[in-house]
Amino acid sequence: MKFRTLSLIAVLFLLAACSKDVKTDNENMSRVSFEISLSASESSRALTYPDGDAAQVDNWVVEVRDVLNPNVIFYREVKAGNRGVKVQKFDLSLVKNHTYDIAFWADKAGCWKTDNLSAVELKELTLGNLDDYDAFSACVRHTVQEDKTISARLYRPLSQINIMTTDLPLLKASSTAEAYAQYAPTSFHLGLTAPTKYNVYTEAASEEQSVEITPVALVDKCYGDYSEALNPTTLFMAYVLSNKYDTQEGKDVRELNFKFSSANVGIEYDFQNIPLRRNWRTNIIGRFMTNSLEWNVEIIPAWSGEENVEK
């Protein structure tokens, strides 16, 4: 009986000690809530969703690393979201007086490899005219001192390339259906050297390789928002990972090889010194069906709206 009493006292003492330890741990932790949103009021101009608006995003990832131990993931969480909803919330418990890098990524589930946000990759490099690859990211450095709510905005780590012709509508309007079927483009290929990995923490794109991109389907829609006089038709759209630059003038300069064919025609273009920039779109506009020497390049500092510039 005496032994049982002593054992009970020992158990109670251990429980009290454990309770005290938990309380001490909680006192050393703070609750940090992140409300993240997408910079996606703009049109993506992709085939599947020509009105864009990040309609495909349904996968949200947060990853946390202590700056004193950056090779170890302190915390990671993946949330499934509803498509069309551009706001998500994460509640994190972090150690006080520690500084963390908190990385965020949002995309369509299954399109990007996001097991490690320091090395994000496309699962399929060779598909164009596909809005599924639209993605958003950001990294926030935060020193924990108290409970806090922080807002963060995610931006595309991508450039968007649009190749647009101004003479396809005229060709279609001035030809019989049989003639148009012989000359209208039916296949496209875009070749370039481009980064294949992206580090959300450092905002750096790396591991370049030669890529040939083909569309999953053809675009057959006229967009008139750039120039009503031109009224260009988008032939081809592709997303390309891009670096962040510290100045407004900074950009990647690429060489592109673009070729398309129809039932009767095969045409190839080599574009030199094409500027690409993260969260910007580059439009190559010309009379590609009737005049191979006439084309222009414009780089747009946002998908649309002044708020969606590079960050």
Side-chain angles (χ1 to χ4, degrees):
M1 187 68 177
K2 184 176 180 181
F3 175 76
R4 289 181 179 178
T5 300
L6 291 174
S7 297
L8 179 59
I9 292 173
V11 169
L12 291 174
F13 177 79
L14 288 174
L15 288 174
C18 290
S19 176
K20 184 177 180 180
D21 288 341
V22 170
K23 182 178 179 180
T24 300
D25 289 343
N26 288 337
E27 288 176 348
N28 288 333
M29 306 293 285
S30 285
R31 178 189 178 96
V32 181
S33 297
F34 282 90
E35 295 177 352
I36 58 175
S37 59
L38 306 180
S39 59
S41 60
E42 67 291 334
S43 168
S44 73
R45 302 176 60 78
L47 171 68
T48 311
Y49 290 87
D51 294 328
D53 204 23
Q56 295 285 68
V57 171
D58 59 5
N59 182 62
W60 303 74
V61 183
V62 62
E63 200 174 270
V64 183
R65 298 176 189 243
D66 192 317
V67 296
L68 296 179
N69 195 8
N71 295 323
V72 176
I73 297 175
F74 177 82
Y75 179 79
R76 177 182 167 87
E77 183 178 355
V78 180
K79 279 188 178 182
N82 295 321
R83 293 182 185 177
V85 177
K86 292 179 278 186
V87 178
Q88 188 60 266
K89 185 175 181 180
F90 289 95
D91 293 319
L92 311 178
S93 293
L94 303 176
V95 180
K96 289 181 179 178
N97 299 318
H98 280 234
T99 300
Y100 296 93
D101 284 331
I102 302 101
F104 300 99
W105 180 271
D107 65 5
K108 180 182 177 182
C111 292
W112 292 82
K113 299 176 184 178
T114 58
D115 295 339
N116 183 344
L117 292 189
S118 66
V120 176
E121 298 179 74
L122 266 175
K123 287 189 174 180
E124 177 55 70
L125 291 171
T126 61
L127 299 182
N129 285 358
L130 189 65
D131 200 37
D132 293 12
Y133 293 162
D134 203 3
F136 300 80
S137 69
C139 184
V140 176
R141 176 163 289 189
H142 178 64
T143 300
V144 180
Q145 296 176 338
E146 58 187 359
D147 292 355
K148 193 169 186 178
T149 298
I150 298 173
S151 296
R153 197 164 180 82
L154 277 57
Y155 293 83
R156 288 178 172 94
L158 307 159
S159 302
Q160 190 189 73
I161 301 171
N162 298 281
I163 299 178
M164 311 162 82
T165 188
T166 61
D167 53 4
L168 190 59
L170 178 62
L171 178 65
K172 189 172 186 179
S174 61
S175 305
T176 64
E178 182 179 358
Y180 178 75
Q182 293 296 310
Y183 290 96
T186 56
S187 66
F188 301 93
H189 299 272
L190 179 67
L192 75 161
T193 300
T196 59
K197 284 189 178 182
Y198 187 76
N199 187 327
V200 179
Y201 295 94
T202 63
E203 300 180 309
S206 62
E207 296 195 20
E208 296 195 0
Q209 67 181 55
S210 296
V211 178
E212 185 166 292
I213 304 172
T214 57
V216 295
L218 303 184
V219 175
D220 188 21
K221 180 174 180 178
C222 296
Y223 296 95
D225 57 331
Y226 293 106
S227 169
E228 292 299 332
L230 292 175
N231 190 31
T233 299
T234 301
L235 298 174
F236 189 89
M237 184 279 293
Y239 289 111
V240 177
L241 285 168
S242 297
N243 284 297
K244 180 179 179 179
Y245 290 91
D246 295 329
T247 66
Q248 285 296 100
E249 292 74 26
K251 59 183 72 70
D252 286 329
V253 177
R254 301 284 170 176
E255 296 182 2
L256 309 180
N257 174 261
F258 179 63
K259 49 191 174 184
F260 64 87
S261 59
S262 65
N264 284 344
V265 178
I267 303 176
E268 183 172 350
Y269 297 94
D270 287 313
F271 301 118
Q272 307 292 326
N273 301 320
I274 300 300
L276 303 180
R277 184 168 176 144
R278 192 182 85 150
N279 212 52
W280 291 37
R281 51 187 178 183
T282 295
N283 301 321
I284 304 172
I285 305 174
R287 298 173 61 189
F288 295 117
M289 302 301 302
T290 59
N291 187 345
S292 62
L293 300 179
E294 182 179 331
W295 53 273
N296 298 298
V297 177
E298 61 180 9
I299 182 167
I300 307 297
W303 261 242
S304 76
E306 295 181 0
E307 68 174 13
N308 189 40
V309 296
E310 180 185 14
K311 297 292 183 181

